Amino acid sequence: MKLINFKWQQLILGLGCLLLMIACKSFYPTTNSDVKPLKVATDPTFVPFEIQTASGNLEGFDIDLMNALAQPAAGLTLSLSKGIAKVAGFAVQFESLPFDGMISTLQAKRVDAAISGITITAERLKTIAFSRPYFKAGLAIAVREDNQNIKDFKSLQGKKIAVQIGSTGADFAKTIPNAKISTFNSGPEFFQDLLNGNVDAVVSDAFATLYAIKNGKLKGIKVVADLLTQEYYGIATPKDSPYLDAINKGIATLLSNGTYKQIYQKWFNAEPPQLPDSWP
Ligand code: ARG
């Protein structure tokens, strides 16, 4: 009888412990069940950095880079630095947002990061944080193919210029004396306005425009050779983001193990330029 009693006690104790463990697990998830996706904002109207395919999928240089940060490339397992392993623990969940709202969305911490060909600027650094530069870029003037007059900053004076709202192109256009500026929500729209003859020029990111021309998506438009600015794109996060360090280490790894070069060649068919490891 005594023996049976003892067994019952043990069983109840065991069951109690098990219940407690289950309860604790749901309150304090362990690392395995803690893999919540990193919410990453992007404005997929910007070839070839982020575009939405007809079937609704996202693709582009930025999308490949972000996915490479999240999932270690083949062969990159145990040798991962702690930083990238941390990033690798997260799946990426992209969220499409208009470019103009991206900085305030980051500020409000409604997303964990944004990748969208976002230029690192001193002004933006006042409210959000950026990773180390991941792309060397710059603004250029785009005009209709038959335009022979607009060649540089000076010849933009007094002209009608289209830009994307909230972009560095829009900031730049404000510095052109007597320019009449029209603002647009997304890239394709301002080129249409240029083709329609409503504006004389577009000021926007050179690589995006050149890519669209080369791939036959922008007929009748040319880019003025000299860049207006030199800019660097960074992955943006809210200030004091717990992910920024891991993102930076991840970029360093992709630069040194050849993955960055692969992605660059895939989209631009060229050797990537040297990148500084910090901004400016
Ligand atoms: N580089 C420019 C900027 O930071 C324009 C980027 C536009 N990106 C986009 N996905 N629409 O202001």
Side-chain angles (χ1 to χ4, degrees):
M1 194 62 187
K2 261 236 151 96
L3 199 70
I4 295 169
N5 254 344
F6 182 66
K7 274 196 174 158
W8 271 110
Q9 267 176 356
Q10 253 189 345
L11 190 67
I12 288 165
L13 202 71
L15 274 176
C17 280
L18 197 71
L19 270 173
L20 202 68
M21 269 163 67
I22 292 170
C24 281
K25 209 169 145 66
S26 56
F27 276 112
Y28 302 101
T30 56
T31 30
N32 271 345
S33 51
D34 199 22
V35 182
K36 76 162 192 309
L38 207 66
K39 245 206 239 166
V40 182
T42 191
D43 167 29
T45 65
F46 195 57
V47 285
F49 295 91
E50 40 269 330
I51 2 149
Q52 192 150 19
T53 63
S55 55
N57 290 332
L58 291 176
E59 56 177 45
F61 179 93
D62 285 353
I63 308 299
D64 283 351
L65 189 82
M66 202 66 219
N67 282 329
L69 282 176
Q71 295 146 14
L76 247 191
T77 40
L78 284 174
S79 62
L80 288 173
S81 72
K82 223 177 139 207
I84 201 179
K86 219 165 122 197
V87 175
F90 294 89
V92 170
Q93 186 196 325
F94 288 105
E95 199 170 296
S96 295
L97 276 183
F99 187 75
D100 190 38
M102 215 147 278
I103 305 222
S104 55
T105 305
L106 284 163
Q107 244 182 303
K109 298 195 168 134
R110 281 197 294 272
V111 292
D112 300 307
I115 190 161
S116 217
I118 311 175
T119 304
I120 308 172
T121 69
E123 188 57 33
R124 290 171 178 169
L125 278 167
K126 287 181 191 161
T127 51
I128 55 168
F130 278 99
S131 70
R132 55 180 289 165
Y134 74 82
F135 195 89
K136 188 175 179 185
L139 294 175
I141 307 167
V143 291
R144 282 181 302 277
E145 235 157 31
D146 57 4
N147 186 314
Q148 305 300 335
N149 316 317
I150 299 178
K151 295 190 183 75
D152 50 17
F153 177 75
K154 242 182 139 189
S155 49
L156 283 174
Q157 297 193 9
K159 294 287 180 337
K160 285 186 247 163
I161 297 164
V163 295
Q164 176 166 26
I165 303 174
S167 69
T168 46
D171 292 339
F172 186 88
K174 286 181 201 147
T175 68
I176 304 166
N178 304 318
K180 288 169 221 53
I181 303 168
S182 331
T183 51
F184 292 87
N185 259 320
S186 77
E189 292 173 66
F190 50 59
F191 288 118
Q192 200 46 55
D193 225 45
L194 178 62
L195 283 170
N196 292 347
N198 295 335
V199 294
D200 304 305
V202 161
V203 173
S204 66
D205 297 55
F207 273 84
T209 314
L210 287 169
Y211 184 92
I213 293 173
K214 215 172 124 199
N215 288 273
K217 292 204 176 87
L218 269 186
K219 291 211 170 69
I221 287 176
K222 66 179 178 190
V223 172
V224 176
D226 289 337
L227 293 188
L228 297 168
T229 56
Q230 191 188 80
E231 305 185 355
Y232 289 101
Y233 297 159
I235 297 174
T237 66
K239 277 201 170 201
D240 311 313
S241 162
Y243 306 110
L244 195 55
D245 188 45
I247 289 172
N248 278 330
K249 286 185 180 137
I251 294 174
T253 305
L254 299 182
L255 282 168
S256 63
N257 72 11
T259 308
Y260 178 88
K261 190 171 158 173
Q262 258 172 35
I263 299 175
Y264 198 98
Q265 282 172 336
K266 169 179 169 190
W267 292 101
F268 298 103
N269 220 342
E271 283 292 298
Q274 200 63 36
L275 289 172
D277 44 60
S278 65
W279 187 90

